[in-house]
Amino acid sequence: MVQKIFRSGNSLVVSLPKDILDMLGLDEGAEVSVEIDREQRRIIITPAGLVLPGVNEEFARQVTEFIEQYRPALEALARR
Protein backbone atom coordinates (compact mmCIF):
# COMPACT_ATOMS: atom_id res chain seq x y z
CA MET A 1 0.00 0.00 0.00
CA VAL A 2 1.33 3.43 -0.91
CA GLN A 3 0.41 6.47 1.16
CA LYS A 4 1.35 10.11 0.57
CA ILE A 5 3.02 12.39 3.06
CA PHE A 6 1.11 15.62 3.59
CA ARG A 7 1.43 18.73 5.72
CA SER A 8 -0.70 19.32 8.79
CA GLY A 9 0.29 22.56 10.51
CA ASN A 10 4.06 22.46 11.01
CA SER A 11 4.23 18.65 10.76
CA LEU A 12 4.43 16.16 7.93
CA VAL A 13 1.93 13.33 8.32
CA VAL A 14 1.25 9.88 6.91
CA SER A 15 -2.32 8.69 7.37
CA LEU A 16 -3.02 5.09 8.33
CA PRO A 17 -6.06 3.34 6.85
CA LYS A 18 -8.90 2.55 9.27
CA ASP A 19 -8.85 -1.18 8.52
CA ILE A 20 -5.19 -1.40 9.58
CA LEU A 21 -5.85 0.61 12.74
CA ASP A 22 -8.83 -1.61 13.54
CA MET A 23 -6.73 -4.75 13.02
CA LEU A 24 -4.14 -3.41 15.51
CA GLY A 25 -6.78 -2.21 17.97
CA LEU A 26 -5.70 1.42 17.60
CA ASP A 27 -7.88 4.51 17.63
CA GLU A 28 -7.39 8.26 17.70
CA GLY A 29 -5.20 9.19 20.67
CA ALA A 30 -3.56 5.76 20.93
CA GLU A 31 0.17 5.74 21.54
CA VAL A 32 2.51 4.04 19.09
CA SER A 33 6.22 3.36 19.09
CA VAL A 34 8.11 4.63 16.03
CA GLU A 35 11.44 3.01 15.21
CA ILE A 36 13.85 3.55 12.33
CA ASP A 37 15.64 0.71 10.57
CA ARG A 38 18.41 2.75 8.97
CA GLU A 39 19.96 -0.14 7.10
CA GLN A 40 16.69 -1.17 5.44
CA ARG A 41 15.44 2.46 5.26
CA ARG A 42 12.19 1.53 7.00
CA ILE A 43 9.96 3.14 9.57
CA ILE A 44 8.42 0.63 11.97
CA ILE A 45 5.25 1.64 13.83
CA THR A 46 3.96 -0.63 16.59
CA PRO A 47 1.33 -0.19 19.28
CA ALA A 48 3.01 1.19 22.41
CA GLY A 49 2.67 -0.41 25.77
CA LEU A 50 2.13 -3.97 24.66
CA VAL A 51 2.64 -5.98 27.83
CA LEU A 52 3.54 -9.63 27.53
CA PRO A 53 2.63 -11.79 30.52
CA GLY A 54 5.70 -12.87 32.48
CA VAL A 55 8.05 -10.33 30.84
CA ASN A 56 9.66 -7.77 33.13
CA GLU A 57 9.01 -4.34 31.57
CA GLU A 58 12.39 -2.90 32.66
CA PHE A 59 14.23 -5.88 31.16
CA ALA A 60 12.22 -5.54 27.93
CA ARG A 61 13.14 -1.83 27.76
CA GLN A 62 16.83 -2.64 28.26
CA VAL A 63 16.73 -5.30 25.54
CA THR A 64 15.04 -2.85 23.15
CA GLU A 65 17.70 -0.21 23.84
CA PHE A 66 20.46 -2.79 23.32
CA ILE A 67 18.98 -3.89 20.00
CA GLU A 68 18.64 -0.30 18.79
CA GLN A 69 22.20 0.56 19.81
CA TYR A 70 23.75 -2.52 18.21
CA ARG A 71 21.26 -3.15 15.36
CA PRO A 72 23.82 -2.96 12.51
CA ALA A 73 26.13 -5.46 14.21
CA LEU A 74 23.25 -7.79 15.10
CA GLU A 75 21.93 -7.69 11.53
CA ALA A 76 25.41 -8.39 10.15
CA LEU A 77 25.72 -11.40 12.48
CA ALA A 78 22.26 -12.64 11.43
CA ARG A 79 23.34 -12.67 7.76
CA ARG A 80 26.29 -15.00 8.47
Side-chain angles (χ1 to χ4, degrees), residues 1-55:
M1 156 184 324
V2 176
Q3 297 290 102
K4 288 196 180 225
I5 297 174
F6 60 92
R7 183 167 299 282
S8 177
N10 290 330
S11 299
L12 295 177
V13 178
V14 174
S15 66
L16 301 173
K18 183 168 177 13
D19 59 332
I20 290 176
L21 294 171
D22 289 345
M23 182 186 74
L24 295 172
L26 297 173
D27 202 354
E28 183 177 343
E31 293 185 346
V32 295
S33 171
V34 180
E35 299 175 47
I36 298 172
D37 180 342
R38 286 181 169 80
E39 189 170 302
Q40 298 288 324
R41 294 186 48 127
R42 294 186 299 182
I43 299 169
I44 303 163
I45 302 172
T46 53
L50 289 180
V51 178
L52 300 173
V55 176

Side-chain angles (χ1 to χ4, degrees), residues 52 54-67:
L52 300 173
V55 176
N56 179 285
E57 290 184 42
E58 176 62 17
F59 177 72
R61 184 191 62 73
Q62 291 173 353
V63 169
T64 299
E65 288 178 3
F66 176 86
I67 290 171

